[in-house]
């Protein structure tokens, strides 16, 4: 029961903020112009600031574990690759492939991972190492799949455009800057640190409001099959495949919890922002984000219970 209550406390507030965004749009308080501007502001400014803040605060040298980081990187590559192959074969509407792959694979790893491990063990444990191993690849693979699966980019220059999108993507730039600050052990001036922190604090709430305000039941119902499939891949299939591999590698306790969140945390709201800004299927993205945020409270509780029953955490 404690695990259920904790998971509900972690996910339901996020879901309710989306509901507020939806209701505010229905009341006419949030206009299409505001939503469009907020999406761009979130993508270009607040989300990069959030990554700079989080990554710059990581003690890379004090917590580095090569085996664990390599597992996170290889697992991320594995489930992105397998989902991409499966989506290209099974999804008839090719316009939805890129958004499906991104939203089915990309978790709210940083925020949920740190919160869950701190709740269970009293410290952030191996969450920072998971962030280093997985979060940069989450973003790089998302840019690749959204660019290469965009019908408008079906040309010889698609790969070149994908590489350009990676280099110029604001979120990836934020990851590079934050990681460099941590690696070089740079102490930011208080004024700069607080400014970045204030901007970063807007990222998640604004993203959730925008996702809720952009959600359309008619569009979601049209793609309910894909939405359910993406939710199942995110919360059930990926952890069922890759958690046993983590067990075989000998990972336990904080490492296993960090891996769990990486594999089956709810889809991050930034999936919608990136899909919208890169010509992906934003309706499908918002639908899966809403579903995984709501359902992950129960699936995450199940996986925690299962791992505890097996004495792995």
């Amino acid at each position: 029961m404690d695990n259920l209550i904790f998971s509900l406390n972690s996910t339901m507030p996020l879901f309710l903020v989306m509901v507020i965004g939806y209701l505010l749009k229905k009341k006419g308080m949030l206009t299409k112009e505001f939503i469009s501007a907020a999406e761009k502001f979130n993508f270009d400014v607040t989300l990069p600031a959030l990554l700079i803040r989080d990554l710059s605060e990581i003690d890379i040298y004090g917590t580095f574990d090569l085996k664990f980081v390599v597992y996170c990187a290889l697992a991320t590559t594995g489930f992105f690759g397998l989902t991409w192959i499966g989506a290209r074969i099974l999804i008839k509407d090719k316009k939805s492939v890129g958004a499906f792959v991104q939203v089915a694979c990309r978790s709210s790893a940083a925020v949920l991972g740190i919160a869950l491990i701190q709740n269970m063990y009293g410290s952030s444990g191996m969450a920072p190492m998971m962030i280093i191993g997985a979060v940069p690849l989450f973003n790089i693979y998302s840019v690749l799949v959204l660019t290469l699966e965009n019908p408008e980019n079906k040309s010889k220059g698609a790969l070149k455009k994908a590489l350009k999108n990676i280099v110029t993507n604001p979120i990836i730039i934020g990851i590079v800057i934050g990681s460099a600050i941590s690696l070089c052990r740079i102490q930011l001036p208080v004024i700069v640190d607080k400014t970045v922190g204030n901007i970063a604090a807007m990222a998640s709430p604004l993203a959730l409001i925008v996702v809720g305000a952009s959600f359309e039941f008619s569009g979601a119902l049209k793609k309910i099959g894909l939405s359910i499939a993406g939710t199942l891949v995110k919360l059930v299939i990926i952890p069922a495949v890759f958690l046993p591999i983590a067990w075989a590698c000998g990972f336990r306790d904080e490492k296993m919890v960090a891996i769990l969140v990486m594999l089956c945390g709810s889809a991050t709201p930034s999936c919608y922002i990136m899909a919208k800004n890169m010509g992906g299927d934003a309706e499908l993205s918002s639908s899966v984000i809403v579903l995984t945020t709501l359902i992950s409270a129960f699936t995450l509780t199940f996986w925690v219970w299962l791992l505890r029953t097996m004495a792995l955490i």
Side-chain angles (χ1 to χ4, degrees), residues 82-190:
L82 291 173
T83 304
W84 194 350
I85 292 170
R88 295 201 72 181
I89 295 172
L90 299 174
I91 295 178
K92 295 180 180 179
D93 184 1
K94 300 308 177 184
K95 294 180 180 179
S96 298
V97 171
F100 179 90
V101 174
Q102 181 195 203
V103 82
C105 294
R106 192 173 168 194
S107 301
S108 298
V111 176
L112 185 57
I114 291 174
L116 185 59
I117 296 175
Q118 284 180 334
N119 183 72
M120 296 178 68
Y121 297 100
S123 67
S124 60
M126 295 306 294
M129 290 298 99
M130 179 268 289
I131 292 171
I132 291 171
V135 171
L137 292 179
F138 279 172
N139 289 277
I140 290 171
Y141 294 151
S142 294
V143 172
L144 279 173
V145 72
L146 286 169
T147 302
L148 296 178
E149 294 298 338
N150 187 333
E152 297 179 1
N153 297 330
K154 294 297 182 181
S155 65
K156 294 182 179 179
L159 183 58
K160 182 178 179 180
K161 184 172 183 178
L163 295 175
K164 180 181 178 181
N165 284 340
I166 289 173
V167 174
T168 60
N169 186 279
I171 294 176
I172 294 176
I173 291 172
I175 290 172
V176 172
I177 293 173
S179 299
I181 292 172
S182 178
L183 284 169
C184 297
R185 291 179 170 172
I186 297 172
Q187 186 67 42
L188 296 176
V190 174

Side-chain angles (χ1 to χ4, degrees), residues 201-216:
M202 291 188 280
S204 294
L206 183 59
L208 293 169
I209 288 288
V210 169
V211 169
S214 303
F215 186 75
E216 293 289 347

